[in-house]
Amino acid sequence: MPRGKVTSKSSGKPARQLLFSEALRQQKHPPAKDPPPHPHTTTGNMAEGSQGASMDRILQEISAVGRKLEGMDSAMVALTAETRSMRLERAGFQSQISGLDQRVTTVETQVASWTDSGQELMHLRSKLTDLEDRSRRNNICLLGFPEGIEGTDLLSYLRDILPKLTDMKH
């Protein structure tokens, strides 16, 4: 039951609806009125007539307030439904945002690993260049000799060939 509604124990209807219903019933079936006063009556009867008119006016105002309250009740029901709808939408948006957050975290992790890999690649290229340069410095190129002629033992080949080339004897 919505908060703020007071109900009658006998009917289960909200108290303001009971008041409204009672006011309407009295308005539809007003109490039997006395016949109009005779012009020669006393002022006491006129006071009673003015009280009846003021009671009618009060009942009309109560009836108008009741109609306004019913309109407010229907507006509250509509607002409650709209609020529920917005809550459901918000929950859907939150789950979508959560999924997107997970995807962004995954992408950030991959990008960080690529950055680390890129730095490692640059370091390895630097090392490779350094090793290639060092190996070229220690190489001796002998022009005019075919590649691989020395066989498996370069030192013994050079001991044999160099004296022949320079006309030196051992």
Side-chain angles (χ1 to χ4, degrees):
M1 178 189 324
R3 187 170 30 128
K5 286 195 175 181
V6 178
T7 59
S8 168
K9 290 183 181 177
S10 61
S11 69
K13 289 185 177 179
R16 66 175 171 242
Q17 283 184 351
L18 287 174
L19 287 174
F20 178 67
S21 300
E22 184 64 31
L24 284 178
R25 191 174 319 112
Q26 287 178 3
Q27 196 174 32
K28 288 181 184 175
H29 306 287
K33 292 187 179 179
D34 294 332
H38 194 275
H40 298 291
T41 58
T42 61
T43 58
N45 285 340
M46 286 181 24
E48 288 176 12
S50 98
Q51 272 185 340
S54 95
M55 286 299 282
D56 287 341
R57 194 171 63 244
I58 289 172
L59 287 176
Q60 288 174 351
E61 288 179 16
I62 289 174
S63 174
V65 168
R67 285 191 296 271
K68 287 181 182 178
L69 286 175
E70 284 180 352
M72 291 172 82
D73 279 345
S74 65
M76 287 299 292
V77 167
L79 283 173
T80 302
E82 184 67 23
T83 302
R84 284 186 188 130
S85 170
M86 289 177 156
R87 282 183 186 158
L88 291 174
E89 281 184 60
R90 188 185 74 197
F93 290 147
Q94 284 176 332
S95 69
Q96 287 177 348
I97 288 171
S98 176
L100 290 173
D101 186 40
Q102 290 174 350
R103 290 175 62 190
V104 166
T105 302
T106 302
V107 168
E108 286 174 341
T109 304
Q110 288 177 345
V111 167
S113 72
W114 292 340
T115 302
D116 292 343
S117 297
Q119 290 174 348
E120 184 179 357
L121 181 62
M122 287 176 54
H123 178 70
L124 289 175
R125 282 185 181 165
S126 172
K127 278 182 143 182
L128 178 63
T129 302
D130 185 48
L131 288 173
E132 285 174 347
D133 288 346
R134 286 178 190 259
S135 69
R136 283 190 200 118
R137 283 187 224 134
N138 293 332
N139 285 347
I140 299 174
C141 289
L142 298 174
L143 299 176
F145 289 96
E147 185 108 9
I149 197 166
E150 72 276 1
T152 57
D153 189 13
L154 177 65
L155 191 56
S156 65
Y157 177 75
L158 287 175
R159 278 190 203 145
D160 290 339
I161 198 77
L162 280 177
K164 289 179 189 172
L165 291 174
T166 56
D167 289 332
M168 292 165 82
K169 298 214 175 183
H170 248 324

